[in-house]
Amino acid sequence: MSTEQEFPPPPGPEEESVCRVCGYDEELFWEHGWPTNAICPCCGNESDIKDLSLRGIRDYRGEWVGHGANWDSPLDKPKDWDLLKQIANIPPEWR
Ligand SMILES: [Zn+2]
């Protein structure tokens, strides 16, 4: 570790595979502290620097669920998919 630090540390986790909006867990959404811009096949959220906002995450989730929690990529939807089970995966700090 260097003692001089010219840049602030990256804002996100080293690795995060759980979607902050819906709890889907099959994609790498954050890597080396930065969003990967991966699009969640479930809720359709693109991991982005905007995902640092808890309010933004909640707004998106509310809108998604309010419109029926439809899959962005319906072909990826498991037959036995359970919204409540998946939502339980959402990390506590993003609920
Ligand atoms: Zn999602």
Side-chain angles (χ1 to χ4, degrees), residues 55-86:
R55 175 176 244 181
I57 294 281
R58 285 178 172 166
D59 280 356
Y60 191 99
R61 185 187 302 130
E63 197 149 314
W64 175 65
V65 172
H67 285 91
N70 292 311
W71 276 61
D72 187 60
S73 173
L75 291 176
D76 291 322
K77 181 178 176 179
K79 262 192 241 121
D80 58 349
W81 184 67
D82 185 330
L83 171 65
L84 293 181
K85 234 184 241 173
Q86 183 176 290

Side-chain angles (χ1 to χ4, degrees), residues 21-57:
V21 172
C22 74
Y24 179 82
D25 186 6
E26 297 286 336
E27 195 93 40
L28 202 54
F29 294 108
W30 287 77
E31 202 173 17
H32 310 307
W34 298 99
T36 61
N37 292 95
I39 294 178
C40 177
C42 182
C43 69
N45 184 52
E46 180 180 355
S47 73
D48 195 290
I49 212 75
K50 70 172 168 21
D51 289 351
L52 291 169
S53 156
L54 176 59
R55 175 176 244 181
I57 294 281

Side-chain angles (χ1 to χ4, degrees), residues 1-11 34:
M1 290 285 138
S2 158
T3 48
E4 36 179 324
Q5 195 165 22
E6 289 179 44
F7 301 103
W34 298 99

